[in-house]
Amino acid sequence: MRASGVPRAMAAAVSITSSLGLTVDDAIVLHDSNKLTLRLLPCDVLARVAPAADQVARFEVELAQRLAESGCPVAALEPRVEPRVHERDGFVVTLWTYYDPVTPRAASPADYADALARLHAGMREIEVPMPHFTDRVEQAQRLVANRDQTPALADADRALLGDTLRSLRRVVGEHGGAGQPLHGEPHPGNVLTTKSGLLFIDLETCCRGPVEFDLAHAPEEVGGHYPGADRDLLRQCRILVLAMITTWRWDRGDRLPGGRRLGTEWLGRIRAALD
């Protein structure tokens, strides 16, 4: 979120939460990217704030509620208030349960794969319209083609990304078929290690596709523990996902710290993988 909008976003979250009867004396920024994530105290609520144009919040709230009710490993909405999207001063705000972090330790690949498999199983039981993973690949393709949005991307690198996205979108789409509902970005940054086990967050990227597309976001060792994963398809998905996240790093509006350095490093990894 642009720095100029952060104070207004925080004020909107505090105002909404207070109006719902929860006490807020302080707001701590936990994460700032396309959305602002806050811990509100002393009520201990997690607030996610985005510009009002981001209507994906409604989809995320509905999906999170249904998945949690079915026992899926997802973070829960704040139980003390109505589960819905709140709007104020040009922002949408959603309120979630805050989970105290457990003793820091990396989740084992087996636990990671088990949690993701349980999430996929639960998602198969829920009928919710969602885009196909190829729609997200198309977004990356449009960004690569838009020189105004990616002005620092060299011609050779632009060609590499464009060709990789185009060819692997076709290969994975044909191999993976219609697929099933997916998280969309179940990387370690979207997994919480809690006393209740691993919980997935940030469901706004959900899409349909092969489970290997989700596995491509997880640490490499996880794929070996996921039942029935297609190793060749997973390799193709890893390169495709790498091309997508590399493209985001060259967007002139990207705000990830060190993003340009990562973009350069990942271009080298794509070339090595294709060679």
Side-chain angles (χ1 to χ4, degrees), residues 73 105-120 183-193 197-201 214-227 238:
R105 67 175 181 85
S108 74
D111 288 344
Y112 205 128
D114 176 69
L116 188 56
R118 288 189 289 117
L119 176 64
H120 287 159
H183 179 285
E185 288 187 359
H187 55 70
N190 282 335
V191 181
L192 300 179
T193 303
L198 299 182
L199 299 177
F200 291 93
I201 61 172
D214 259 3
L215 282 170
H217 291 80
E220 191 167 351
E221 300 81 2
V222 173
H225 294 271
Y226 192 98
R238 286 196 185 282

Side-chain angles (χ1 to χ4, degrees), residues 153-215:
L153 191 59
D155 288 345
D157 297 333
R158 191 180 304 278
L160 172 69
L161 289 174
D163 292 345
T164 303
L165 291 166
R166 180 174 57 256
S167 61
L168 289 183
R169 172 192 168 198
R170 176 182 55 80
V171 170
V172 175
E174 291 175 353
H175 197 156
Q180 73 142 71
L182 304 173
H183 179 285
E185 288 187 359
H187 55 70
N190 282 335
V191 181
L192 300 179
T193 303
T194 74
K195 295 177 181 178
S196 302
L198 299 182
L199 299 177
F200 291 93
I201 61 172
D202 205 355
L203 300 172
E204 66 182 14
T205 55
C206 287
C207 57
R208 295 190 68 87
V211 295
E212 288 81 4
F213 183 78
D214 259 3
L215 282 170

Side-chain angles (χ1 to χ4, degrees), residues 6-275:
V6 170
R8 288 177 44 241
M10 294 178 69
V14 170
S15 176
I16 287 170
T17 306
S18 299
S19 71
L20 295 172
L22 300 176
T23 302
V24 183
D25 295 329
D26 192 17
I28 302 171
V29 176
L30 300 181
H31 186 66
D32 180 11
S33 57
N34 60 323
K35 286 182 172 60
L36 189 66
T37 303
L38 306 170
R39 183 184 182 186
L40 305 180
L41 296 170
C43 62
D44 222 5
V45 170
L46 189 81
R48 300 184 71 205
V49 193
D54 184 5
Q55 297 302 319
V56 178
R58 290 181 172 78
F59 166 80
E60 184 179 25
V61 165
E62 177 186 356
L63 184 58
Q65 186 177 16
R66 294 178 64 179
L67 288 173
E69 289 172 351
S70 66
C72 287
V74 296
L77 292 154
E78 168 53 49
R80 290 171 288 180
V81 299
E82 180 185 356
R84 67 181 185 86
V85 176
H86 308 270
E87 294 193 31
R88 185 160 302 180
D89 193 23
F91 295 97
V92 292
V93 179
T94 53
L95 302 178
W96 303 79
T97 296
Y98 176 79
Y99 294 90
D100 286 315
V102 300
T103 302
R105 67 175 181 85
S108 74
D111 288 344
Y112 205 128
D114 176 69
L116 188 56
R118 288 189 289 117
L119 176 64
H120 287 159
M123 295 184 81
R124 286 195 292 271
E125 303 301 318
I126 296 176
E127 291 295 330
V128 176
M130 58 182 65
H132 197 256
F133 84 94
T134 52
D135 294 347
R136 299 187 55 210
V137 181
E138 286 180 12
Q139 293 175 3
Q141 289 179 283
R142 289 194 294 270
L143 189 58
V144 167
N146 189 332
R147 293 178 180 272
D148 290 337
Q149 281 298 113
T150 54
L153 191 59
D155 288 345
D157 297 333
R158 191 180 304 278
L160 172 69
L161 289 174
D163 292 345
T164 303
L165 291 166
R166 180 174 57 256
S167 61
L168 289 183
R169 172 192 168 198
R170 176 182 55 80
V171 170
V172 175
E174 291 175 353
H175 197 156
Q180 73 142 71
L182 304 173
H183 179 285
E185 288 187 359
H187 55 70
N190 282 335
V191 181
L192 300 179
T193 303
T194 74
K195 295 177 181 178
S196 302
L198 299 182
L199 299 177
F200 291 93
I201 61 172
D202 205 355
L203 300 172
E204 66 182 14
T205 55
C206 287
C207 57
R208 295 190 68 87
V211 295
E212 288 81 4
F213 183 78
D214 259 3
L215 282 170
H217 291 80
E220 191 167 351
E221 300 81 2
V222 173
H225 294 271
Y226 192 98
D230 184 314
R231 300 293 176 253
D232 183 60
L233 181 58
L234 177 54
R235 185 181 70 82
Q236 302 287 354
C237 284
R238 286 196 185 282
I239 301 173
L240 175 60
V241 167
L242 183 58
M244 292 171 64
I245 63 176
T246 300
T247 298
W248 309 142
R249 302 291 73 82
W250 291 93
D251 185 346
R252 68 180 184 182
D254 184 51
R255 300 186 68 252
L256 183 71
R260 191 55 51 83
R261 174 185 57 79
L262 288 172
T264 301
E265 176 187 327
W266 292 343
L267 282 167
R269 287 176 54 187
I270 292 171
R271 286 191 169 89
L274 293 176
D275 289 342

